[in-house]
Amino acid sequence: MRLKLVPDNTSWDFFGRLPITLGFSGVLFVGSILAFLFIGLNFGIDFRGGTTIRTEAKVEIDVGAYRDAITPLGLGDVAISEVFDPSFDEDQHVAMVRIQAQGAEESVSPETIRAVEDALRAVAPEIRFASVESVGPKVSGELIMTAIYSVLAAMAAVLVYIWLRFEWQFAVGAVAALVHDVIITIGIFAVFQIPFDLAIIAALLTIVGYSLNDTVVVFDRVRENLRRFKVMDLKDVLNVSINETMSRTLMTSGTTLVALIALIVLGGDVIRGFVFAMTFGIVIGTYSSVFVASAVLLKLGVKRDWSKPDGEAGTQFADVDA
């Protein structure tokens, strides 16, 4: 027996409470902007500056033990990750310890570095410190601007792609959904003060791609149904299209979430922020492809073909019954 997440021939009305869903999205969107402006993001070492210590040992690395040894020093945000490389010897175990900048200092002081090294030697007596590198405020500021440009460039590329593939109304709906997803995800990070680093930027760009994929699937079906149902109101065409793609949407999102939830539980602290951003982004992206992108398309109307018996065709905007 085949598993069915959505019954066949569903006829759910996704726009019956359009003011409520758009109002809910609007509240989240405005709240996220206010949280970003008044609370701010908890920038990680990548964006605040700090010092990275590269360690090497002949015994396996216990990231938890390293973190427990450094925590009493009260250094704030400390990120510890093990480095894997096929070129390493079997007894070569490498870890990166990243410590945030302390106060107004551009890098961690030599005394603090020695204290960290002593704490790690207490856990792994044979540990060796291969290098110490610092990231100053100037470099961190450049990383922030590069991250902003990368997200804006991705959205601009999406706008052009959807515009060329469909009509400009589809492009506006798709980009509105992407902006909605990114801003609300950033707002969640601001409210809960989850560390925000380059890995989160990678997650945001992934969310843009995932949300776009879901939106394009719905829009493709909308375009097909606009040709199929030539006199049906746009609202009804959208409802039919979303119902027809709902099984695929839930199956794709559901299987992805299963993997992400496993990573949240078992992946450890190093990737938890990235996985949380992905998990929340997929949920909000699935929501926005239906209740934001399609709602904007409904409000704008869309050009459609009216084929005539003699083969001639004319175009006009579909009636909007919102």
Side-chain angles (χ1 to χ4, degrees):
M1 182 178 179
R2 190 177 65 175
L3 175 65
K4 292 184 179 180
L5 295 181
V6 179
D8 294 330
N9 302 318
T10 57
S11 57
W12 298 332
D13 183 5
F14 292 95
F15 304 102
R17 294 178 174 82
L18 190 58
I20 296 176
T21 55
L22 286 181
F24 175 71
S25 292
V27 169
L28 289 180
F29 188 86
V30 173
S32 296
I33 293 177
L34 293 177
F36 173 77
L37 294 177
F38 293 100
I39 300 177
L41 292 172
N42 178 19
F43 287 114
I45 295 171
D46 295 331
F47 296 132
R48 277 190 307 195
T51 297
T52 299
I53 303 174
R54 178 186 174 97
T55 71
E56 294 186 5
K58 293 185 177 181
V59 297
E60 292 188 2
I61 293 172
D62 186 342
V63 174
Y66 280 20
R67 183 175 290 106
D68 291 340
I70 297 176
T71 299
L73 299 178
L75 300 178
D77 184 15
V78 177
I80 305 173
S81 58
E82 187 171 359
V83 179
F84 297 96
D85 193 313
S87 65
F88 289 167
D89 298 332
E90 292 185 2
D91 61 348
Q92 186 179 7
H93 303 279
V94 178
M96 304 296 287
V97 180
R98 296 184 294 173
I99 307 168
Q100 72 177 39
Q102 305 295 304
E105 298 179 3
E106 182 170 331
S107 61
V108 177
S109 66
E111 293 78 12
T112 301
I113 294 175
R114 283 196 294 271
V116 171
E117 292 176 349
D118 292 340
L120 293 177
R121 284 195 185 97
V123 176
E126 297 182 358
I127 195 171
R128 187 172 69 88
F129 301 98
S131 64
V132 178
E133 299 177 352
S134 295
V135 178
K138 182 178 179 180
V139 175
S140 299
E142 292 175 353
L143 288 175
I144 292 175
M145 295 309 300
T146 301
I148 293 174
Y149 292 151
S150 64
V151 174
L152 293 178
M155 291 185 178
V158 167
L159 177 63
V160 174
Y161 166 74
I162 299 295
W163 195 336
L164 293 176
R165 179 164 180 172
F166 300 99
E167 297 285 344
W168 68 266
Q169 297 93 337
F170 289 87
V172 173
V175 171
L178 296 182
V179 173
H180 170 274
D181 299 343
V182 171
I183 294 298
I184 291 179
T185 302
I186 290 175
I188 291 295
F189 272 77
V191 170
F192 293 102
Q193 289 295 286
I194 302 170
F196 193 91
D197 53 24
L198 286 177
I200 307 305
I201 297 299
L204 291 178
L205 293 174
T206 307
I207 291 168
V208 168
Y210 191 96
S211 179
L212 173 64
N213 178 66
D214 200 29
T215 302
V216 166
V217 169
V218 175
F219 281 178
D220 261 330
R221 187 58 59 88
V222 171
R223 183 171 58 178
E224 293 173 2
N225 285 333
L226 283 172
R227 296 167 181 167
R228 180 183 175 189
F229 304 108
K230 299 184 180 300
V231 295
M232 182 181 289
D233 289 339
L234 179 58
K235 176 181 177 181
D236 297 327
V237 172
L238 288 170
N239 270 322
V240 169
S241 302
I242 296 171
N243 275 284
E244 289 177 348
T245 57
M246 185 55 58
S247 179
R248 176 264 174 202
T249 297
L250 293 181
M251 183 65 73
T252 304
S253 300
T255 52
T256 307
L257 286 175
V258 168
L260 290 173
I261 291 172
L263 286 174
I264 287 180
V265 176
L266 304 174
D269 294 334
V270 175
I271 63 171
R272 189 157 291 156
F274 172 83
V275 177
F276 173 80
M278 286 289 298
T279 303
F280 181 80
I282 286 175
V283 173
I284 198 70
T286 302
Y287 168 87
S288 68
S289 65
V290 175
F291 294 104
V292 177
S294 298
V296 171
L297 183 61
L298 177 63
K299 291 295 183 181
L300 293 177
V302 63
K303 192 178 293 184
R304 65 198 294 179
D305 294 332
W306 299 81
S307 298
K308 298 180 180 179
D310 58 1
E312 297 178 357
T315 59
Q316 69 178 51
F317 280 91
D319 294 333
V320 179
D321 183 17

